[in-house]
Amino acid sequence: MAKAKVTMEVGNDGVAVITFVNPPVNALAIQIFAGLKEKWNEAAMRNDVKAIVLTGYGGRFSGGFDINVFEKVHKTDDVSLLPDVSVDLVTNIMEDGKKPAVAAVEGLCLGGGLELALGCHARIAAPRTQLGLPELSLGVLPGSGGTQRLPRLIGLSKAIDMMMTSKPIMSEEGEKLGLIDAVVPSKELLKVARQWALDIAERRKPWMRSLHRTDKIGSLSEAHEVLKLARKQVKQTARNMPQHLACLDVIEEGIVHGGYNGVLKEAKVFEDLVLSDTSRGLVHVFFAQRATSKVPNVTDIGLKPRPVKKVAIIGGGLMGSGIATSLVLSNIFVIIKEINPEYLQKGIKTVEANIRGLVARKKLQQDKANKAFSMVKGVLDYSEFKDVDMVIEAVIENVPLKQQIFIDIEKVCPPHCILASNTSTIDLNVIGQKMSSQDRVIGAHFFSPAHVMPLLEIIRTTKTSAQAILNLMAVGKTIKKVPVVVGNCTGFAVNRTFFPYAQSAQFLANLGVDVFRIDAQIISFGLPIGPFQLQDLAGYGVATATQKEYSSAFPDRIFKSPLLDLLIKSGRNGKNNGKGYYIYKKGEKARPDPSVLPIIEESRRLTNIMPGGKPISITDQEIVEMILFPVVNEACRVLDEGIVVRASDLDVASVLGMSFPSYRGGIVFWGDTVGAGHIYKSLRKWSELYGNFFKPSKFLEERAAKGIPLSAPAATSSASRSRM
């Protein structure tokens, strides 16, 4: 890999072209900043240099600050590792330097890269260059003057929108807004930038210092109104995250007290935020997601994935049609097989509706939608399975049915074909036990809705070939999912880890805690909905079926609540029929249904676990802990049994599959943030009060006793060897 460096070439025209080199995206490593400072000072001193052009190597300006530095800061708690870029380099040396500088940007100009460009006196861009400040998505804020210069160039509202959403814009829009001075063809970029820099030096074009501009800010009262509205929105959309409000405070500082004061405050707040739990969590998830693509004995043994061009899906229900949508949108031909014409028509129509929905929301162009429509075909038998590269079974959770399907497809599919099941709980060894080619059997567990949720949980048995795993990982990436490879057991990694989640909620409800208060506290913690509304949305049939699987797999730690059966007997089925814990009406927000309370009371009477027959007294924090500590406890068992390659895989899976808040770093990372000791003591106390459901796992007990993080690699046990 090329070493990060900065080069400078001075032309006969008197323009010094300073280029940073750190492929593939010219990440701004610490040595890049040191090199920039050195070259800029040299250019300033040289008599043969009239002006400067700043650019990036290889058709990309810069993807931003090197995030590896954040990771080092998090490990050491040492903010002095962060370079002094904002005041020393961008403001004093670049913007206030004696020679004009023009940024020539192309491809990517993000984060610290855009902030360097903002410190120049003009910006020339190639077409379709991405411009953005995505720092808030990593728990920090733009730390090199971006909070001050961007509003001064494009206006306060648009600048706030770009920073709060972390979404980039294209250079064409940047030109309209005033962020970019000119968009020119890539081959003319340097030529135009050089001339522009000379024109500034010779006073033919204005010498603009962004930090000194005020014309786009508006009056103080207008600015206060914009900031007030932004704060209100942030409190709704970014609860529990400090960086959004901190960023708005820093922007306001610069508007009220001047850009330079804003830059000083920005630098201080940046350092505080880097050390926050939020930044630690988000940076952890960023690196953890990258690590999922490395699977020992699969991705490191020289195999190449086989192209998958045609996929058959058995079952066109909600999951099957969602999976089909994902595949056709990525140019993979799909055959949907159903048992009768009515079901088949419904499945095809659902795929078409999914695609039309994306067009309506402007997430897909019509011509691409038309192509996707043509990539799906419906069949009622196996005659067209002879040339498929993969089959995904997506029928109901019924063991004999799935076994028969796998016997049938083994006979009709070509020898290279991957035979995958979308089961969410059933052990794959059971599904494939009557087949001869078990090396092709694999789990492809999508999460609902399959064309929206980003996780693909890939389940390997002890017999699944490395080639089949690699092929499915490649398909996952093609359809823009994050594939996480896990071992085989009931519920696999994600659903197994989270099976205590709904049960803890039922436990609390039967201890007398208000179900709507439980949901509210879980939402307040950061999940999109609470456990009871989740049960309503999934449907009670799913909950009953999975409960049966877990009861037989983990009988020692199951809480059997009669509540679900009572709800079904009373004619409720959640959102499916509009009545569950909540009332569902089309076009209206779900609202709590008070008529469910007598049913909950009946469940409490039957379980009879309330101490002295009275509801327990519990704090909001204890509600969250009693719901989520059993989940961490099960995660410990999953780690101990070697179901996942590494703890961070479970973190990624919990964030992408269960919508666990990314700013908390995932389920294991959050467990470490809270501390194994506190989790162990709490579970032990509850297990003494309420029984085995809360009993701490051996893994958790050992980690708590020795003070070892839950995420530290587990010792290789016979269990872990058998699973992965």
Side-chain angles (χ1 to χ4, degrees), residues 59 104 161 305 308-309 325 332 392 404 444 532 595 603 673 681 703 708:
D161 179 58
V308 171
K309 293 174 183 172
T325 306
I332 296 172
I392 302 175
Q404 188 56 52
F532 294 102
S595 70
S603 177
T673 304
K681 279 180 203 152
R703 296 285 162 118
I708 304 169

Side-chain angles (χ1 to χ4, degrees), residues 321-341:
S321 56
I323 296 165
T325 306
S326 277
L327 291 162
V328 295
L329 287 172
S330 298
N331 294 324
I332 296 172
F333 192 81
V334 170
I335 296 168
I336 295 178
K337 182 194 175 295
E338 260 298 355
I339 52 170
N340 63 44

Side-chain angles (χ1 to χ4, degrees), residues 77-242:
D77 286 336
D78 182 6
V79 287
S80 71
L81 292 169
L82 297 165
D84 178 7
V85 177
S86 187
V87 178
D88 185 37
L89 176 62
V90 182
T91 305
N92 295 346
I93 295 174
M94 291 171 62
E95 190 171 52
D96 291 346
K98 298 284 181 279
K99 291 176 183 175
V102 173
V105 303
E106 188 174 7
L108 298 174
C109 181
L110 301 172
L114 180 56
E115 290 179 288
L116 288 174
L118 292 171
C120 294
H121 306 108
R123 285 147 296 282
I124 312 299
R128 298 195 62 73
T129 298
Q130 286 186 53
L131 311 160
L133 293 176
E135 285 86 348
L136 273 75
S137 66
L138 290 170
V140 293
L141 47 65
S144 300
T147 63
Q148 305 306 307
R149 292 185 179 88
L150 191 63
R152 284 167 166 75
L153 283 173
I154 69 171
L156 193 53
S157 291
K158 183 63 188 176
I160 286 173
D161 179 58
M162 279 179 71
M163 286 185 259
M164 294 298 118
T165 62
S166 291
K167 285 182 183 164
I169 60 169
M170 290 297 178
S171 46
E172 289 75 6
E173 187 184 349
E175 187 179 20
K176 285 179 194 154
L177 292 167
L179 176 55
I180 297 296
D181 294 276
V183 176
V184 302
S186 182
K187 60 181 184 296
E188 291 175 30
L189 184 63
L190 276 180
K191 184 180 125 191
V192 174
R194 295 176 92 115
Q195 189 54 52
W196 204 288
L198 287 171
D199 286 349
I200 297 173
E202 289 156 18
R203 299 290 190 244
R204 288 192 295 272
K205 279 195 173 20
W207 191 320
M208 299 295 291
R209 291 182 173 90
S210 309
L211 199 59
H212 297 241
R213 284 181 64 176
T214 54
D215 53 301
K216 293 268 186 98
I217 296 287
S219 70
L220 205 52
S221 61
E222 286 169 335
H224 279 310
E225 276 306 306
V226 171
L227 286 159
K228 186 176 160 188
L229 180 65
R231 285 191 176 100
K232 190 178 169 189
Q233 286 175 331
V234 158
K235 280 170 185 167
Q236 291 169 339
T237 57
R239 283 174 305 117
N240 304 336
M241 287 191 272

Side-chain angles (χ1 to χ4, degrees), residues 59 139 338 357 386 435 552 575 592 659 674 700 704:
E338 260 298 355
K386 59 185 177 298
M435 296 169 58
S552 69
K575 197 182 177 188
S659 301
V674 172
L700 175 63

Side-chain angles (χ1 to χ4, degrees), residues 74 152 199 219 286 299-300 306 329 371 421-422 442 447 491 501 516 533 619 658 675:
H74 292 157
R152 284 167 166 75
D199 286 349
S219 70
F286 176 86
T299 58
D300 56 357
R306 184 188 173 102
L329 287 172
K371 183 164 188 206
S421 173
N422 178 55
I442 195 164
F447 290 73
Y501 175 71
F516 304 116
Q533 195 176 359
T619 66
M658 287 295 178

Side-chain angles (χ1 to χ4, degrees), residues 275-295:
L275 293 175
S276 68
D277 284 346
T278 302
S279 176
R280 291 172 197 269
L282 289 166
V283 169
H284 170 73
V285 170
F286 176 86
F287 283 109
Q289 195 166 316
R290 287 181 163 193
T292 59
S293 62
K294 296 182 176 76
V295 181

Side-chain angles (χ1 to χ4, degrees), residues 379-429:
V379 297
L380 294 169
D381 58 32
Y382 291 122
S383 59
E384 295 208 29
F385 279 46
K386 59 185 177 298
D387 61 346
V388 295
D389 302 304
M390 177 161 78
V391 178
I392 302 175
E393 165 274 303
V395 302
I396 55 168
E397 297 286 67
N398 175 309
V399 172
L401 173 64
K402 287 179 188 283
Q403 286 177 332
Q404 188 56 52
I405 286 169
F406 271 77
I407 291 166
D408 294 342
I409 58 178
E410 184 181 29
K411 289 175 193 161
V412 295
C413 295
H416 73 269
C417 178
I418 304 167
L419 308 176
S421 173
N422 178 55
T423 179
S424 57
T425 45
I426 301 169
D427 187 321
L428 285 173
N429 287 322

